[in-house]
Each structure stands twice: as structure tokens, then as C-alpha cells.
PDB file of all heavy atoms in Angstrom:
ATOM      1  N   GLU S   1      71.107  37.734  26.486  1.00 95.00           N
ATOM      2  CA  GLU S   1      70.173  38.566  27.242  1.00 95.00           C
ATOM      3  C   GLU S   1      69.346  37.694  28.239  1.00 95.00           C
ATOM      4  O   GLU S   1      69.208  38.041  29.413  1.00 95.00           O
ATOM      5  CB  GLU S   1      69.204  39.296  26.382  1.00 95.00           C
ATOM      6  CG  GLU S   1      69.877  40.493  25.735  1.00 95.00           C
ATOM      7  CD  GLU S   1      70.122  40.167  24.186  1.00 95.00           C
ATOM      8  OE1 GLU S   1      69.758  39.033  23.750  1.00 95.00           O
ATOM      9  OE2 GLU S   1      70.553  41.121  23.515  1.00 95.00           O
ATOM     10  N   LYS S   2      68.840  36.595  27.741  1.00 97.00           N
ATOM     11  CA  LYS S   2      68.042  35.674  28.652  1.00 97.00           C
ATOM     12  C   LYS S   2      68.872  35.129  29.764  1.00 97.00           C
ATOM     13  O   LYS S   2      68.530  35.075  30.920  1.00 97.00           O
ATOM     14  CB  LYS S   2      67.405  34.596  27.915  1.00 97.00           C
ATOM     15  CG  LYS S   2      66.586  33.633  28.769  1.00 97.00           C
ATOM     16  CD  LYS S   2      65.556  32.894  28.051  1.00 97.00           C
ATOM     17  CE  LYS S   2      64.693  31.982  28.938  1.00 97.00           C
ATOM     18  NZ  LYS S   2      64.674  32.123  30.287  1.00 97.00           N
ATOM     19  N   THR S   3      70.091  34.702  29.406  1.00 96.00           N
ATOM     20  CA  THR S   3      71.038  34.073  30.383  1.00 96.00           C
ATOM     21  C   THR S   3      71.393  35.126  31.471  1.00 96.00           C
ATOM     22  O   THR S   3      71.307  34.832  32.685  1.00 96.00           O
ATOM     23  CB  THR S   3      72.273  33.533  29.688  1.00 96.00           C
ATOM     24  OG1 THR S   3      71.921  32.584  28.722  1.00 96.00           O
ATOM     25  CG2 THR S   3      73.241  32.981  30.720  1.00 96.00           C
ATOM     26  N   TRP S   4      71.653  36.281  31.041  1.00 95.00           N
ATOM     27  CA  TRP S   4      72.059  37.421  31.945  1.00 95.00           C
ATOM     28  C   TRP S   4      70.846  37.785  32.791  1.00 95.00           C
ATOM     29  O   TRP S   4      70.962  37.854  34.073  1.00 95.00           O
ATOM     30  CB  TRP S   4      72.478  38.634  31.102  1.00 95.00           C
ATOM     31  CG  TRP S   4      73.319  39.627  31.887  1.00 95.00           C
ATOM     32  CD1 TRP S   4      73.177  40.009  33.179  1.00 95.00           C
ATOM     33  CD2 TRP S   4      74.347  40.399  31.325  1.00 95.00           C
ATOM     34  NE1 TRP S   4      74.085  40.984  33.445  1.00 95.00           N
ATOM     35  CE2 TRP S   4      74.814  41.288  32.389  1.00 95.00           C
ATOM     36  CE3 TRP S   4      74.922  40.504  30.078  1.00 95.00           C
ATOM     37  CZ2 TRP S   4      75.829  42.151  32.208  1.00 95.00           C
ATOM     38  CZ3 TRP S   4      75.989  41.396  29.896  1.00 95.00           C
ATOM     39  CH2 TRP S   4      76.472  42.235  30.897  1.00 95.00           C
ATOM     40  N   PHE S   5      69.643  37.859  32.196  1.00 97.00           N
ATOM     41  CA  PHE S   5      68.436  38.224  32.990  1.00 97.00           C
ATOM     42  C   PHE S   5      68.171  37.140  34.004  1.00 97.00           C
ATOM     43  O   PHE S   5      67.854  37.487  35.147  1.00 97.00           O
ATOM     44  CB  PHE S   5      67.235  38.295  31.965  1.00 97.00           C
ATOM     45  CG  PHE S   5      65.913  38.522  32.669  1.00 97.00           C
ATOM     46  CD1 PHE S   5      65.497  39.824  33.074  1.00 97.00           C
ATOM     47  CD2 PHE S   5      65.084  37.472  32.915  1.00 97.00           C
ATOM     48  CE1 PHE S   5      64.316  40.041  33.679  1.00 97.00           C
ATOM     49  CE2 PHE S   5      63.886  37.626  33.586  1.00 97.00           C
ATOM     50  CZ  PHE S   5      63.490  38.900  33.906  1.00 97.00           C
ATOM     51  N   ASP S   6      68.209  35.890  33.581  1.00 98.00           N
ATOM     52  CA  ASP S   6      67.938  34.778  34.542  1.00 98.00           C
ATOM     53  C   ASP S   6      68.914  34.756  35.699  1.00 98.00           C
ATOM     54  O   ASP S   6      68.512  34.552  36.894  1.00 98.00           O
ATOM     55  CB  ASP S   6      68.006  33.408  33.841  1.00 98.00           C
ATOM     56  CG  ASP S   6      66.840  33.263  32.823  1.00 98.00           C
ATOM     57  OD1 ASP S   6      65.820  33.982  32.907  1.00 98.00           O
ATOM     58  OD2 ASP S   6      66.915  32.299  32.012  1.00 98.00           O
ATOM     59  N   ALA S   7      70.189  35.049  35.360  1.00 98.00           N
ATOM     60  CA  ALA S   7      71.240  34.992  36.452  1.00 98.00           C
ATOM     61  C   ALA S   7      70.967  36.187  37.411  1.00 98.00           C
ATOM     62  O   ALA S   7      71.039  36.007  38.655  1.00 98.00           O
ATOM     63  CB  ALA S   7      72.623  35.047  35.865  1.00 98.00           C
ATOM     64  N   GLU S   8      70.709  37.357  36.852  1.00 98.00           N
ATOM     65  CA  GLU S   8      70.499  38.566  37.685  1.00 98.00           C
ATOM     66  C   GLU S   8      69.173  38.455  38.466  1.00 98.00           C
ATOM     67  O   GLU S   8      69.156  38.755  39.719  1.00 98.00           O
ATOM     68  CB  GLU S   8      70.327  39.823  36.754  1.00 98.00           C
ATOM     69  CG  GLU S   8      70.153  41.043  37.483  1.00 98.00           C
ATOM     70  CD  GLU S   8      71.408  41.491  38.332  1.00 98.00           C
ATOM     71  OE1 GLU S   8      72.582  41.103  37.917  1.00 98.00           O
ATOM     72  OE2 GLU S   8      71.259  42.206  39.384  1.00 98.00           O
ATOM     73  N   THR S   9      68.166  37.775  37.989  1.00 98.00           N
ATOM     74  CA  THR S   9      66.915  37.547  38.692  1.00 98.00           C
ATOM     75  C   THR S   9      67.206  36.617  39.859  1.00 98.00           C
ATOM     76  O   THR S   9      66.710  36.889  40.966  1.00 98.00           O
ATOM     77  CB  THR S   9      65.831  37.016  37.788  1.00 98.00           C
ATOM     78  OG1 THR S   9      65.551  37.852  36.745  1.00 98.00           O
ATOM     79  CG2 THR S   9      64.592  36.609  38.499  1.00 98.00           C
ATOM     80  N   LYS S  10      67.973  35.585  39.650  1.00 98.00           N
ATOM     81  CA  LYS S  10      68.276  34.637  40.708  1.00 98.00           C
ATOM     82  C   LYS S  10      68.997  35.353  41.837  1.00 98.00           C
ATOM     83  O   LYS S  10      68.723  35.160  42.995  1.00 98.00           O
ATOM     84  CB  LYS S  10      69.078  33.506  40.200  1.00 98.00           C
ATOM     85  CG  LYS S  10      69.318  32.395  41.105  1.00 98.00           C
ATOM     86  CD  LYS S  10      70.091  31.220  40.453  1.00 98.00           C
ATOM     87  CE  LYS S  10      70.285  30.094  41.349  1.00 98.00           C
ATOM     88  NZ  LYS S  10      70.950  28.900  40.746  1.00 98.00           N
ATOM     89  N   LEU S  11      70.042  36.161  41.523  1.00 98.00           N
ATOM     90  CA  LEU S  11      70.807  36.935  42.533  1.00 98.00           C
ATOM     91  C   LEU S  11      69.895  37.911  43.240  1.00 98.00           C
ATOM     92  O   LEU S  11      69.996  38.052  44.520  1.00 98.00           O
ATOM     93  CB  LEU S  11      71.850  37.715  41.786  1.00 98.00           C
ATOM     94  CG  LEU S  11      73.016  36.847  41.248  1.00 98.00           C
ATOM     95  CD1 LEU S  11      73.962  37.723  40.461  1.00 98.00           C
ATOM     96  CD2 LEU S  11      73.844  36.194  42.354  1.00 98.00           C
ATOM     97  N   GLN S  12      69.000  38.622  42.529  1.00 98.00           N
ATOM     98  CA  GLN S  12      68.120  39.586  43.192  1.00 98.00           C
ATOM     99  C   GLN S  12      67.130  38.870  44.158  1.00 98.00           C
ATOM    100  O   GLN S  12      66.821  39.359  45.247  1.00 98.00           O
ATOM    101  CB  GLN S  12      67.409  40.469  42.144  1.00 98.00           C
ATOM    102  CG  GLN S  12      68.371  41.381  41.517  1.00 98.00           C
ATOM    103  CD  GLN S  12      67.728  42.329  40.533  1.00 98.00           C
ATOM    104  OE1 GLN S  12      66.423  42.462  40.536  1.00 98.00           O
ATOM    105  NE2 GLN S  12      68.402  42.935  39.643  1.00 98.00           N
ATOM    106  N   GLN S  13      66.569  37.762  43.702  1.00 98.00           N
ATOM    107  CA  GLN S  13      65.587  37.038  44.483  1.00 98.00           C
ATOM    108  C   GLN S  13      66.297  36.516  45.799  1.00 98.00           C
ATOM    109  O   GLN S  13      65.665  36.589  46.874  1.00 98.00           O
ATOM    110  CB  GLN S  13      64.945  35.827  43.716  1.00 98.00           C
ATOM    111  CG  GLN S  13      64.058  36.297  42.624  1.00 98.00           C
ATOM    112  CD  GLN S  13      62.805  36.960  43.141  1.00 98.00           C
ATOM    113  OE1 GLN S  13      62.386  36.825  44.263  1.00 98.00           O
ATOM    114  NE2 GLN S  13      62.245  37.828  42.272  1.00 98.00           N
ATOM    115  N   ALA S  14      67.457  36.071  45.697  1.00 98.00           N
ATOM    116  CA  ALA S  14      68.197  35.579  46.850  1.00 98.00           C
ATOM    117  C   ALA S  14      68.493  36.783  47.844  1.00 98.00           C
ATOM    118  O   ALA S  14      68.351  36.576  49.015  1.00 98.00           O
ATOM    119  CB  ALA S  14      69.561  34.982  46.461  1.00 98.00           C
ATOM    120  N   ALA S  15      68.832  37.887  47.272  1.00 98.00           N
ATOM    121  CA  ALA S  15      69.058  39.121  48.137  1.00 98.00           C
ATOM    122  C   ALA S  15      67.738  39.582  48.772  1.00 98.00           C
ATOM    123  O   ALA S  15      67.805  39.981  49.977  1.00 98.00           O
ATOM    124  CB  ALA S  15      69.649  40.290  47.273  1.00 98.00           C
ATOM    125  N   ILE S  16      66.676  39.551  48.052  1.00 98.00           N
ATOM    126  CA  ILE S  16      65.339  39.881  48.641  1.00 98.00           C
ATOM    127  C   ILE S  16      65.044  38.912  49.756  1.00 98.00           C
ATOM    128  O   ILE S  16      64.555  39.335  50.829  1.00 98.00           O
ATOM    129  CB  ILE S  16      64.249  39.876  47.566  1.00 98.00           C
ATOM    130  CG1 ILE S  16      64.440  41.036  46.616  1.00 98.00           C
ATOM    131  CG2 ILE S  16      62.818  39.921  48.191  1.00 98.00           C
ATOM    132  CD1 ILE S  16      63.614  41.016  45.332  1.00 98.00           C
ATOM    133  N   THR S  17      65.178  37.634  49.577  1.00 98.00           N
ATOM    134  CA  THR S  17      64.855  36.662  50.571  1.00 98.00           C
ATOM    135  C   THR S  17      65.754  36.918  51.853  1.00 98.00           C
ATOM    136  O   THR S  17      65.248  36.909  53.002  1.00 98.00           O
ATOM    137  CB  THR S  17      65.110  35.201  50.050  1.00 98.00           C
ATOM    138  OG1 THR S  17      64.166  35.012  48.942  1.00 98.00           O
ATOM    139  CG2 THR S  17      64.851  34.190  51.109  1.00 98.00           C
ATOM    140  N   LYS S  18      67.019  37.114  51.586  1.00 98.00           N
ATOM    141  CA  LYS S  18      67.939  37.313  52.689  1.00 98.00           C
ATOM    142  C   LYS S  18      67.629  38.529  53.474  1.00 98.00           C
ATOM    143  O   LYS S  18      67.812  38.599  54.743  1.00 98.00           O
ATOM    144  CB  LYS S  18      69.384  37.416  52.125  1.00 98.00           C
ATOM    145  CG  LYS S  18      70.467  37.613  53.236  1.00 98.00           C
ATOM    146  CD  LYS S  18      71.874  37.710  52.617  1.00 98.00           C
ATOM    147  CE  LYS S  18      72.916  37.887  53.664  1.00 98.00           C
ATOM    148  NZ  LYS S  18      74.233  37.929  53.089  1.00 98.00           N
ATOM    149  N   HIS S  19      67.133  39.654  52.887  1.00 98.00           N
ATOM    150  CA  HIS S  19      66.958  40.887  53.513  1.00 98.00           C
ATOM    151  C   HIS S  19      65.420  41.247  53.616  1.00 98.00           C
ATOM    152  O   HIS S  19      65.140  42.410  53.802  1.00 98.00           O
ATOM    153  CB  HIS S  19      67.636  41.985  52.739  1.00 98.00           C
ATOM    154  CG  HIS S  19      69.158  41.829  52.709  1.00 98.00           C
ATOM    155  ND1 HIS S  19      69.996  42.081  53.758  1.00 98.00           N
ATOM    156  CD2 HIS S  19      69.995  41.340  51.749  1.00 98.00           C
ATOM    157  CE1 HIS S  19      71.233  41.807  53.494  1.00 98.00           C
ATOM    158  NE2 HIS S  19      71.221  41.336  52.241  1.00 98.00           N
ATOM    159  N   GLN S  20      64.573  40.230  53.628  1.00 98.00           N
ATOM    160  CA  GLN S  20      63.124  40.536  53.593  1.00 98.00           C
ATOM    161  C   GLN S  20      62.668  41.334  54.796  1.00 98.00           C
ATOM    162  O   GLN S  20      61.949  42.183  54.662  1.00 98.00           O
ATOM    163  CB  GLN S  20      62.330  39.178  53.440  1.00 98.00           C
ATOM    164  CG  GLN S  20      60.876  39.401  53.278  1.00 98.00           C
ATOM    165  CD  GLN S  20      60.538  40.075  51.983  1.00 98.00           C
ATOM    166  OE1 GLN S  20      60.848  39.567  50.862  1.00 98.00           O
ATOM    167  NE2 GLN S  20      60.010  41.273  51.987  1.00 98.00           N
ATOM    168  N   ALA S  21      63.240  40.963  55.973  1.00 98.00           N
ATOM    169  CA  ALA S  21      62.770  41.662  57.293  1.00 98.00           C
ATOM    170  C   ALA S  21      63.193  43.178  57.155  1.00 98.00           C
ATOM    171  O   ALA S  21      62.362  44.019  57.426  1.00 98.00           O
ATOM    172  CB  ALA S  21      63.358  40.991  58.422  1.00 98.00           C
ATOM    173  N   GLU S  22      64.325  43.451  56.616  1.00 98.00           N
ATOM    174  CA  GLU S  22      64.778  44.829  56.470  1.00 98.00           C
ATOM    175  C   GLU S  22      63.918  45.539  55.495  1.00 98.00           C
ATOM    176  O   GLU S  22      63.580  46.696  55.694  1.00 98.00           O
ATOM    177  CB  GLU S  22      66.267  44.904  56.030  1.00 98.00           C
ATOM    178  CG  GLU S  22      67.254  44.271  57.058  1.00 98.00           C
ATOM    179  CD  GLU S  22      68.536  43.959  56.421  1.00 98.00           C
ATOM    180  OE1 GLU S  22      69.343  44.829  56.142  1.00 98.00           O
ATOM    181  OE2 GLU S  22      68.803  42.748  56.175  1.00 98.00           O
ATOM    182  N   LEU S  23      63.607  44.907  54.365  1.00 98.00           N
ATOM    183  CA  LEU S  23      62.744  45.508  53.327  1.00 98.00           C
ATOM    184  C   LEU S  23      61.364  45.786  53.889  1.00 98.00           C
ATOM    185  O   LEU S  23      60.770  46.840  53.589  1.00 98.00           O
ATOM    186  CB  LEU S  23      62.701  44.558  52.094  1.00 98.00           C
ATOM    187  CG  LEU S  23      64.078  44.461  51.325  1.00 98.00           C
ATOM    188  CD1 LEU S  23      63.956  43.305  50.356  1.00 98.00           C
ATOM    189  CD2 LEU S  23      64.403  45.767  50.665  1.00 98.00           C
ATOM    190  N   ASN S  24      60.872  44.847  54.700  1.00 98.00           N
ATOM    191  CA  ASN S  24      59.576  45.087  55.271  1.00 98.00           C
ATOM    192  C   ASN S  24      59.576  46.287  56.235  1.00 98.00           C
ATOM    193  O   ASN S  24      58.602  47.072  56.251  1.00 98.00           O
ATOM    194  CB  ASN S  24      59.131  43.833  56.095  1.00 98.00           C
ATOM    195  CG  ASN S  24      58.717  42.653  55.088  1.00 98.00           C
ATOM    196  OD1 ASN S  24      58.503  42.850  53.931  1.00 98.00           O
ATOM    197  ND2 ASN S  24      58.742  41.522  55.693  1.00 98.00           N
ATOM    198  N   THR S  25      60.615  46.420  57.011  1.00 98.00           N
ATOM    199  CA  THR S  25      60.793  47.588  57.947  1.00 98.00           C
ATOM    200  C   THR S  25      60.771  48.903  57.119  1.00 98.00           C
ATOM    201  O   THR S  25      60.070  49.835  57.442  1.00 98.00           O
ATOM    202  CB  THR S  25      62.040  47.461  58.683  1.00 98.00           C
ATOM    203  OG1 THR S  25      61.937  46.264  59.532  1.00 98.00           O
ATOM    204  CG2 THR S  25      62.305  48.710  59.598  1.00 98.00           C
ATOM    205  N   VAL S  26      61.528  48.967  56.039  1.00 98.00           N
ATOM    206  CA  VAL S  26      61.573  50.177  55.221  1.00 98.00           C
ATOM    207  C   VAL S  26      60.281  50.482  54.577  1.00 98.00           C
ATOM    208  O   VAL S  26      59.803  51.561  54.558  1.00 98.00           O
ATOM    209  CB  VAL S  26      62.674  50.048  54.114  1.00 98.00           C
ATOM    210  CG1 VAL S  26      62.608  51.153  53.123  1.00 98.00           C
ATOM    211  CG2 VAL S  26      64.089  49.931  54.716  1.00 98.00           C
TER     212      VAL S  26
END
């Protein structure tokens, strides 16, 4: 669970960083 959570968190944080401008627009 922790390994999966940590990996998923890392992926999501990277996606947020990559798409921050779009997220701000929304």
C-alpha cells in the first residue's frame, strides 16, 4: 500500500506540475 501510494503520488505530482497552467485556468 505504501509503495503504491508513494508511486502514485509521485506520478500525480509530476502531472500537476506539468499541467499547472491549465489547472489554474480551469
Side-chain angles (χ1 to χ4, degrees):
E1 287 103 358
K2 178 160 179 19
T3 302
W4 200 324
F5 176 84
D6 290 346
E8 185 66 27
T9 298
K10 188 175 181 179
L11 291 170
Q12 289 182 19
Q13 290 296 333
I16 289 167
T17 298
K18 181 178 179 180
H19 298 283
Q20 189 64 62
E22 297 162 75
L23 294 168
N24 290 343
T25 298
V26 171

